[in-house]
Amino acid sequence: DQQVKQNSPSLSVQEGRISILNCDYTNSMFDYFLWYKKYPAEGPTFLISISSIKDKNEDGRFTVFLNKSAKHLSLHIVPSQPGDSAVYFCAATYSGGGADGLTFGKGTHLIIQP
Amino acid sequence: EAQVTQNPRYLITVTGKKLTVTCSQNMNHEYMSWYRQDPGLGLRQIYYSMNVEVTDKGDVPEGYKVSRKEKRNFPLILESPSPNQTSLYFCASSTRRTGNGYTFGSGTRLTVV
């Protein structure tokens, strides 16, 4: 059973516009969420995170929104730049109890078109 | 430079020939983990370690072993590799299980023929 779902395998956005990447989760125990960015031939790099006590976290051009009731989070990139073209992974974990690591979604390939 | 170093980057081997993929981090992180990335399946956790001599299975541990004798090293061992273990492998480390995210290595592309 997939606990973290990214239902869009790919997304194409024009340079300068807003990119919105979506992520849904099913495990209500998750209370910490992260986004990673991955270029080909490189490891994923941490982008931004959000705790379940917040509904928004912003870092420069990147903003993550969390809707706990809908078990949904989204990553907004404004404005989109060519260097943003990459695969984006949503990840989730729970900070209390157990020792499991991050559970990742399958990723969304973002393509920024000039 | 703070980093996670994996070796080798690329490896082609034959079925049944034991191999080890090394992983080393220089950030004094307690938590280390191995993931594999496969098309359409994303990143799946193989094994993780909370600290020295403490390891546990992730979601897809079958066919793999790990050890954590030192804090900085977390090797992944395939005792008898099979073609279904052909994949892209990533090692990651963190100060704690959640934190501000893992630091990943650059990956090891393994092909088992």
Side-chain angles (χ1 to χ4, degrees), chain B residues 5-110:
Chain B
T5 303
Q6 293 178 230
N7 280 297
R9 289 294 307 273
Y10 302 91
L11 179 60
I12 300 174
T13 190
V14 296
T15 298
K17 186 177 181 181
K18 180 179 179 179
L19 67 93
T20 299
V21 183
T22 63
C23 174
S24 180
Q25 49 95 3
N26 61 0
M27 296 165 282
N28 202 35
H29 285 170
E30 290 82 20
Y31 188 88
M32 296 185 75
S33 184
W34 276 102
Y35 285 82
R36 60 178 287 175
Q37 182 188 4
D38 301 290
L41 296 176
L43 289 158
R44 295 180 294 167
Q45 189 180 51
I46 303 170
Y47 267 95
Y48 62 92
S49 170
M50 298 289 285
N51 214 322
V52 176
E53 302 292 359
V54 181
T55 63
D56 211 341
K57 297 177 181 178
D59 298 318
V60 288
E62 294 77 22
Y64 305 94
K65 285 174 58 177
V66 292
S67 70
R68 188 91 181 272
K69 293 182 169 51
E70 307 162 284
K71 197 172 189 178
R72 63 183 291 126
N73 295 322
F74 190 45
L76 180 69
I77 303 155
L78 285 73
E79 293 271 2
S80 182
S82 62
N84 65 13
Q85 293 178 297
T86 293
S87 187
L88 180 58
Y89 292 87
F90 290 101
C91 180
S93 73
S94 176
T95 51
R96 55 190 177 98
R97 195 165 47 78
T98 54
N100 282 328
Y102 297 168
T103 300
F104 279 86
S106 298
T108 296
R109 184 165 291 284
L110 173 65

Side-chain angles (χ1 to χ4, degrees), chain A residues 32 36 46 94 99-102 106, chain B residues 35 40 48 97 99-102:
Chain A
Y32 197 80
Y36 283 81
F46 169 73
Y94 41 90
D100 296 320
L102 298 178
K106 294 183 178 180
Chain B
Y35 285 82
Y48 62 92
R97 195 165 47 78
N100 282 328
Y102 297 168

Side-chain angles (χ1 to χ4, degrees), chain A residues 1-113:
Chain A
D1 179 34
Q2 200 181 349
Q3 299 187 69
V4 178
K5 300 178 184 179
Q6 293 178 258
N7 291 321
S8 299
S10 66
L11 176 67
S12 184
V13 175
Q14 201 165 13
E15 182 179 354
R17 299 286 186 108
I18 182 172
S19 295
I20 300 176
L21 293 89
N22 293 304
C23 178
D24 297 293
Y25 61 97
T26 58
N27 189 337
S28 57
M29 295 289 289
F30 288 146
D31 61 2
Y32 197 80
F33 306 90
L34 309 93
W35 285 93
Y36 283 81
K37 177 179 181 179
K38 184 183 180 305
Y39 293 120
E42 294 182 13
T45 55
F46 169 73
L47 193 57
I48 192 169
S49 63
I50 187 166
S51 165
S52 60
I53 62 174
K54 293 185 174 181
D55 54 19
K56 177 183 175 181
N57 189 26
E58 196 170 352
D59 184 2
R61 296 185 299 113
F62 303 91
T63 303
V64 56
F65 295 91
L66 175 62
N67 182 334
K68 282 184 293 183
S69 61
K71 294 192 179 66
H72 177 83
L73 62 154
S74 60
L75 175 68
H76 293 211
I77 306 173
V78 183
S80 300
Q81 298 175 354
D84 297 329
S85 294
V87 176
Y88 289 79
F89 290 100
C90 172
T93 189
Y94 41 90
S95 53
D100 296 320
L102 298 178
T103 300
F104 285 87
K106 294 183 178 180
T108 296
H109 186 193
L110 177 64
I111 302 162
I112 305 301
Q113 295 186 333

